[in-house]
Amino acid sequence: MRDQAENLRMKMLKNQGSLGRSIAVVSGKGGVGKSNFTTNFAINLAKLGKRVVVLDMDIGMGNVHILIGKTAQFSLKDYLAGEVTLNEVMYDGPNNLQYISGGSGLSSVMEWSKQMFDLLIQAFEELQKSFDYILFDMGAGAANWSLDLLTSIDEIIVISTAEPTSITDAYSMMKYIHMRDQGKAFYLLCNRAYTKEEGQETLDRLKNTMVKFLAKDVTLLGSLPEDPVVRNAVREQVPFSIAYPEAPISKTLKVIVNNFIHHDIEEVHADTNTNTFLSKLRRIFSKGRG
C-alpha cells in the first residue's frame, strides 16, 4: 500500500500548476462537525465560481448527501468495487457543487485491495483535471489506508472543538500524518466555540504543542461559533450557509474561505454573544472547576 501511496503522490504532483488543489478535512474524533464544515466550505468555494467536488471518504457511513438534502443511488464504495463508473457516482449539489457520496447505513469494514487503490488513483487523476478544488471529507480517526492517502493530498484542514479529548485527538491525528510526511501543510480550525477567546485558546494550544513536540508550524484559520442555526439546517437538510447566510457562523466561514483561496491566511473568529445564558453558565462552570 505504501508504494501505491507514493505512486499516487507522484501522479498528483505531476504538472501541479495545471491541476486542482486537493484538500483533506480530518478530525481525531467524531462529533466535531467535520462533514458540516466540509460541505459548507465547499459551497462557499463554489459560490466564488470555483469548480469543486467533495469526496465523502467515510465509506459506508457517509452523510454529505444527507446534509444537502440529496439522495445518491451509487456511492464511492460502488465505484471502488468496480460496479459503476466515476461519472455514475458524481452528483450535482448546490451552486454547481459536485459530490461523491460515501454511502450510508451499516457497512462491513472495507479491506483495500490493490485494484481499489488503482481505481482511486484513476479517479483522482480525472478529478484534478476537471476541478479547481477536490475536498476529501475523511472519516474520523486514523487508519493505515487513510494515512497513506493523506500523504498524497496537498493540504490538511484539521477540525477540533475546545473539548480536551478533541484537542488531544486532533494533535494525535496530526502527529500520525506528520510522521509519514513532515512537509505536509496543516490548517487548524476550532469548531463550535462558545466565545472568541475559547477558539483562540484552543488553536494556540494545538499550535504550541505541534511546535514543542514535533517542531512543526501550522496555520490557524480561526474558529466558528456554536450556532443554533446549524442544528436547524441539519434538520432541514439545507446547508447552513445557504439556509442562514446572515448567521454568525455563515459570515465567519465566508471570510475564512475567501482568505484561504487567496493564500491570505489571517486567523478569523466570529463575534459571539458572551452574555447568553449558555455562555454565562459555561464560564461559571469553568471557574468552579478551577
Side-chain angles (χ1 to χ4, degrees):
M1 183 69 76
R2 184 66 56 82
D3 291 339
Q4 291 294 314
E6 185 61 24
N7 184 27
L8 174 58
R9 177 208 287 273
M10 289 299 102
K11 288 188 176 184
M12 292 180 80
L13 288 177
K14 187 178 180 181
N15 299 322
Q16 187 66 33
S18 62
L19 298 179
R21 190 172 171 186
S22 58
I23 304 163
V25 183
V26 305
S27 65
K29 60 177 290 187
V32 302
K34 176 180 54 59
S35 293
N36 229 322
F37 168 82
T38 306
T39 302
N40 285 276
F41 188 87
I43 286 170
N44 275 273
L45 286 171
K47 280 183 180 179
L48 294 172
K50 304 300 182 182
R51 298 170 300 168
V52 186
V53 61
V54 176
L55 279 77
D56 192 338
M57 299 301 296
D58 197 353
I59 298 173
M61 299 296 287
N63 59 8
V64 167
H65 65 289
I66 297 173
L67 292 173
I68 60 178
K70 299 283 188 175
T71 57
Q73 181 180 0
F74 300 113
S75 68
L76 182 61
K77 184 176 181 181
D78 298 317
Y79 167 75
L80 294 175
E83 298 173 358
V84 293
T85 66
L86 182 62
N87 285 336
E88 288 178 293
V89 297
M90 291 183 62
Y91 295 90
D92 296 328
N95 299 107
N96 295 318
L97 170 74
Q98 300 281 300
Y99 71 93
I100 298 176
S101 172
S104 60
L106 295 177
S107 174
S108 58
V109 176
M110 191 166 182
E111 295 294 336
W112 283 73
S113 65
K114 181 180 181 301
Q115 178 185 356
M116 288 179 176
F117 213 84
D118 286 343
L119 284 171
L120 203 58
I121 290 174
Q122 292 175 24
F124 291 171
E125 287 183 316
E126 291 185 38
L127 295 175
Q128 279 203 308
K129 294 174 184 176
S130 304
F131 293 93
D132 300 314
Y133 290 88
I134 303 98
L135 295 180
F136 300 84
D137 181 21
M138 305 299 296
N144 285 333
W145 72 266
S146 62
L147 290 173
D148 284 335
L149 173 61
L150 289 170
T151 63
S152 56
I153 293 173
D154 298 328
E155 299 155 307
I156 311 290
I157 296 177
V158 183
I159 309 293
S160 179
T161 67
E163 295 179 4
T165 53
S166 181
I167 295 172
T168 300
D169 289 342
Y171 167 71
S172 296
M173 187 70 179
M174 287 189 286
K175 180 181 178 181
Y176 288 139
I177 298 170
H178 177 74
M179 297 305 291
R180 298 194 179 210
D181 183 359
Q182 297 186 8
K184 189 63 64 188
F186 290 106
Y187 298 85
L188 269 57
L189 181 129
C190 178
N191 197 25
R192 304 179 63 181
Y194 280 89
T195 66
K196 174 182 177 180
E197 292 73 23
E198 183 178 70
Q200 287 178 326
E201 181 182 345
T202 300
L203 295 176
D204 288 342
R205 183 175 170 184
L206 274 167
K207 181 181 178 75
N208 293 337
T209 302
M210 289 292 288
V211 171
K212 180 178 179 180
F213 293 104
L214 299 178
K216 175 69 175 179
D217 196 16
V218 297
T219 301
L220 305 183
L221 292 179
S223 63
L224 295 175
E226 178 70 47
D227 196 325
V229 305
V230 175
R231 179 173 293 184
N232 295 341
V234 171
R235 185 167 56 246
E236 296 161 7
Q237 291 187 277
V238 180
F240 64 74
S241 58
I242 292 177
Y244 304 95
E246 298 303 313
I249 190 170
S250 299
K251 289 183 175 180
T252 308
L253 182 57
K254 182 178 179 180
V255 177
I256 288 174
V257 170
N258 191 64
N259 286 351
F260 184 82
I261 66 173
H262 291 103
H263 298 278
D264 180 23
I265 300 300
E266 179 180 349
E267 194 175 343
V268 178
H269 298 272
D271 289 331
T272 51
N273 184 355
T274 58
N275 293 319
T276 63
F277 169 74
L278 284 176
S279 296
K280 287 181 178 178
L281 188 63
R282 189 179 180 87
R283 289 200 303 274
I284 293 170
F285 181 67
S286 297
K287 290 178 181 178
R289 285 183 298 175

